[in-house]
Structure formats: structure tokens, C-alpha cells
Amino acid sequence: MSKLRIVFMGTPDFAVESLDILNKSNHEIVGVITATDKPAGRGQKISESAVKKYAVANNLFLLQPKSLKAEDFLETLQSL
């Protein structure tokens, strides 16, 4: 079976399990796309998604576009 080049898109906690399985496979994750960091809770502290935390911890290329239609994001995605 040939090696796939994967761009993973996800944000919630449950998406981390799928990302972990793909990361441990023989396929190549070329990018991880997740929501931008947002203020959360009473103190409005900046909160990172579970997917971002996993990607950073595993040295995966991370993208957090403000818009999925942004020209620079689309160019980067196409280059992957």
C-alpha cells in the first residue's frame, strides 16, 4: 500500500484519537488544521484546542486560519 499524504482537520477533544491513530500509521501527516485560539471561561483566558495541543506536542505542521477562504491559507493548503 502506498503512503498517503494527509491533511487533518479537527478541533474537539474526540478528534485527537483519530489524529493519534493516523500519526502512528505509516502515512505522512503533512498538516493539521484547527480552530484559532479563543478566550474561554470566566477569566476569558486564551484556550487552545485539544488538536492543537497534540499537534504541537508531536511536531506536526499546524495551521489555524481565521477563515478557510483566506487566500494565504488556501495557497498553503494547496502547497501541502
Side-chain angles (χ1 to χ4, degrees):
M1 181 163 73
S2 62
K3 191 174 190 176
L4 297 176
R5 291 173 45 85
I6 299 169
V7 174
F8 184 89
M9 295 179 82
T11 298
D13 294 349
F14 68 82
V16 173
E17 186 175 348
S18 300
L19 178 56
D20 185 51
I21 290 167
L22 290 170
N23 193 36
K24 291 177 180 172
S25 73
N26 68 335
H27 302 298
E28 179 185 6
I29 298 177
V30 295
V32 175
I33 302 167
T34 192
T36 57
D37 300 342
K38 296 185 167 102
R42 225 172 243 232
Q44 294 294 290
K45 292 174 64 176
I46 299 298
S47 176
E48 298 177 340
S49 74
V51 168
K52 176 182 179 178
K53 290 176 186 174
Y54 181 90
V56 169
N58 288 276
N59 298 316
L60 299 173
F61 180 66
L62 179 68
L63 292 165
Q64 291 185 281
K66 291 188 191 304
S67 167
L68 296 178
K69 295 179 182 179
E71 211 43 55
D72 58 337
F73 166 70
L74 293 173
E75 288 172 8
T76 302
L77 184 60
Q78 190 172 18
S79 73
L80 296 175

